Amino acid sequence: STVTGALTATATTGNITDTGALTITGTTTLVTSANDATISLDTTTNAFTGAVTITTNDASGTDADVTIDGGTTALDIAASTIDGDLTLTSGHASGITDSGTVTVGGNFSATTDANNGVINVGQMAVDGTVALTTNGNGAATIVNDAGLNFAASTVTGALTATATTGNITDSGNLTVTGTSSFTTSASNATITLDATNALASAVTLSTTGSSANATIDNGTTALDIAASTVGGNLTLTTGHASGITDSGN
């Protein structure tokens, strides 16, 4: 389908799916009204040029999942509420962004699969885990309104991560080719990245408060700490021959 203006689509008792490419020049609004109904627009040649607004509903859980593949077009998510997992893919250099608060009751996964695509989502409200994957030298920036729990992620550029009211943790391995920056904004919020991580470039840490501890396990990769401020204890581990160094104060 090709819509040269805005598209507003509502499924009152079922799911929203695609069996062919969607090309939308204007904004896109997608709503499933039924409990646990899903949205799956995963055709790899979709093109959503304007911002995409998404609403799904799950009265008692996180089963109202959403999958959007934007093809080779940049994907901008406007203010949305997803009562399940949100999975996004874009092959554009501008990648995946948000232009409003995106509330995700489940897990959030964002992937750029071509053109050194970036991920820049600064208004997230994710209750579950966050998985980020970028293409080429694509960077990733995420700000979450609560804590930030990383699932297995591979960022081939720089990673900048901020948890505004909670802790930063990992439930999978983080592989970051570029620099890494982790910030907890709340007093005494901690950073605990103790999986078998591989942060290949300098790591910047920022916590506030006397119990705002930071723990980094970098697996078998050398660990370089850039200029950082840790309000509590700092615990560092690496199994690389070059060990642990600092490149900042």
Side-chain angles (χ1 to χ4, degrees), residues 172-223:
N173 299 334
L174 278 174
T175 300
V176 182
T177 304
T179 58
S180 300
S181 176
F182 302 101
T183 300
T184 53
S185 302
S187 180
N188 294 319
T190 62
I191 300 170
T192 305
L193 302 176
D194 56 1
T196 308
N197 298 308
L199 309 176
S201 301
V203 178
T204 300
L205 305 171
S206 179
T207 68
T208 303
S210 60
S211 60
N213 304 326
T215 299
I216 305 290
D217 189 323
N218 214 32
T220 58
T221 302
L223 182 56

Side-chain angles (χ1 to χ4, degrees), residues 101-193:
T101 301
V102 180
T103 301
V104 181
N107 303 319
F108 173 56
S109 175
T111 301
T112 59
D113 57 5
N115 295 310
N116 301 307
V118 301
I119 299 168
N120 189 355
V121 285
Q123 302 178 72
M124 301 301 296
V126 180
D127 292 339
T129 62
V130 171
L132 305 176
T133 302
T134 61
N135 173 263
N137 59 11
T141 298
I142 184 166
V143 178
N144 201 42
D145 74 330
L148 188 51
N149 179 6
F150 280 105
S153 299
T154 300
V155 177
T156 48
L159 171 64
T160 303
T162 302
T164 57
T165 61
N167 306 319
I168 295 178
T169 59
D170 58 6
S171 53
N173 299 334
L174 278 174
T175 300
V176 182
T177 304
T179 58
S180 300
S181 176
F182 302 101
T183 300
T184 53
S185 302
S187 180
N188 294 319
T190 62
I191 300 170
T192 305
L193 302 176

